[in-house]
Amino acid sequence: MDEILCVENLKKSFGSLQVIKGISFSVHKGEVLSIIGPSGSGKSTILRCISQLEDVTEGSITICALPLVQNGVYCKKEQRHNIVLKSGLVFQNFNLFPHYSVLQNVMQPQIKVLKKDKEQAMKTATALLERMGLAEKAEFYPCQLSGGQQQRVSIARALALKPEVLLFDEPTSALDPELTGEILAVIKELAAEKMTMVVVTHEMSFARDISSHIIFMDGGVIVEEGTADVVINNPKQERTKTFLARFSN
C-alpha cells in the first residue's frame, strides 16, 4: 500500500517542556490510525505538527512522499503550502466562520486555497452538505446549528479541499453525549470508504471498531501500539491496562 504519512523521531518542546519525545509511526492509504491516551500526553500536538499549526523541534514528517520537515529542517515555504493541502484537520471546537453561512463556510476555503471559481465551489459544497445531511441548512449560520451539525459542516469543509489524509482532533469532545453518535457515524462511513485518517479520540469502542492501527500515548511517548485487538482488547503494558480500565468496553 502507498504510504500517505510518515512521522520519524518527532520531538516538540514548548520552552523547557518537552511534549513529544521522539515518536515514529506511519499511515498507509486507506488506513485509520487512532491515537488514544490521557490528556496532556501529546496527542493533539502531533496533529498540529502534521497540519503545520505548530513547528516541530526535531524529527521528520513526510506526507504523500513529500518531505515537509527532515531532521527539524523545513522545506521551502512554497513547498510547505502544497504539502499542507495534502492533509485536512477537523478541530474539536468546529472553528467555523460565524459571519459566513454554512454554504459559505464550505465554499470559501475552496475559493481562497484551491482558487476555484464560485460556481465550482458551490457545486462541491452543495454535494458535501447533502452527503452530511445538511442540505436544508445551507443558508443557516453556525450559531443556528447544533454542535453535531456544526461538526458535520467542519468535516464537509475539510473534505472540500480533497485531502489525502484527514486528521480528527477529538471530534466529539465538545459535543453533548446524544450528539456524539452522529459524528462517529460520519467518520465510520468515511472509514468504510477507505478514507485515510488519523483520529485522536477518547471514544474507546469507536477506536476499536474503525482502526487499522492504534497508538496509546502517555507522557509524550508511545507506550503501546498495534491492532485494536492487541491494544484495546489485550494490552500488554500495565500503563495501557490502567488507562483502559477507566472505560467500559
Side-chain angles (χ1 to χ4, degrees), residues 1-196:
M1 287 187 291
D2 297 333
E3 189 175 74
I4 298 295
L5 173 65
C6 180
V7 173
E8 297 179 286
N9 194 34
L10 182 67
K11 297 179 183 179
K12 174 62 181 177
S13 296
F14 295 98
S16 60
L17 177 64
Q18 191 174 30
V19 178
I20 303 175
K21 304 174 181 178
I23 68 165
S24 301
F25 63 86
S26 61
V27 184
H28 291 81
K29 190 174 180 64
E31 289 185 337
V32 178
L33 168 66
S34 288
I35 305 177
I36 63 173
S39 298
S41 59
K43 307 183 302 296
S44 295
T45 303
I46 293 171
L47 298 191
R48 293 180 66 83
C49 288
I50 294 168
S51 57
Q52 300 188 53
L53 294 175
E54 299 284 356
D55 285 343
V56 308
T57 304
E58 292 181 41
S60 304
I61 299 174
T62 303
I63 304 176
C64 296
L66 300 172
L68 170 63
V69 54
Q70 291 183 297
N71 300 317
V73 179
Y74 278 88
C75 63
K76 293 179 180 179
K77 188 175 180 180
E78 57 269 23
Q79 293 171 312
R80 287 180 71 168
H81 175 73
N82 292 330
I83 295 171
V84 78
L85 291 179
K86 301 290 184 183
S87 67
L89 177 61
V90 177
F91 298 88
Q92 55 183 301
N93 292 316
F94 323 135
N95 280 32
L96 298 175
F97 295 110
H99 59 292
Y100 283 166
S101 69
V102 165
L103 184 64
Q104 288 172 322
N105 263 284
V106 184
M107 284 178 61
Q108 286 302 316
Q110 300 177 65
I111 294 168
K112 291 185 179 298
V113 178
L114 299 184
K115 309 302 181 186
K116 283 187 175 183
D117 62 43
K118 285 187 177 181
E119 187 177 341
Q120 287 178 306
M122 182 179 288
K123 184 176 181 180
T124 299
T126 300
L128 284 168
L129 290 174
E130 186 170 341
R131 178 180 178 183
M132 294 293 151
L134 294 169
E136 75 286 357
K137 304 289 187 184
E139 299 304 324
F140 283 48
Y141 285 82
C143 64
Q144 297 174 290
L145 304 181
S146 69
Q149 290 169 334
Q150 289 186 61
Q151 191 61 293
R152 279 185 278 156
V153 176
S154 298
I155 295 171
R157 180 179 61 184
L159 289 172
L161 297 180
K162 299 188 182 304
E164 293 293 331
V165 56
L166 203 51
L167 313 172
F168 288 91
D169 185 9
E170 300 204 19
T172 62
S173 66
L175 301 178
D176 293 333
E178 64 266 25
L179 298 177
T180 294
E182 65 185 72
I183 299 305
L184 299 184
V186 170
I187 300 173
K188 283 183 178 181
E189 184 180 311
L190 292 171
E193 295 171 1
K194 298 299 181 184
M195 179 77 200
T196 308

Side-chain angles (χ1 to χ4, degrees), residues 189-203:
E189 184 180 311
L190 292 171
E193 295 171 1
K194 298 299 181 184
M195 179 77 200
T196 308
M197 294 185 283
V198 179
V199 183
V200 169
T201 184
H202 57 270
E203 302 281 347

Side-chain angles (χ1 to χ4, degrees), residues 181 231 246:
V231 177
R246 297 163 44 209

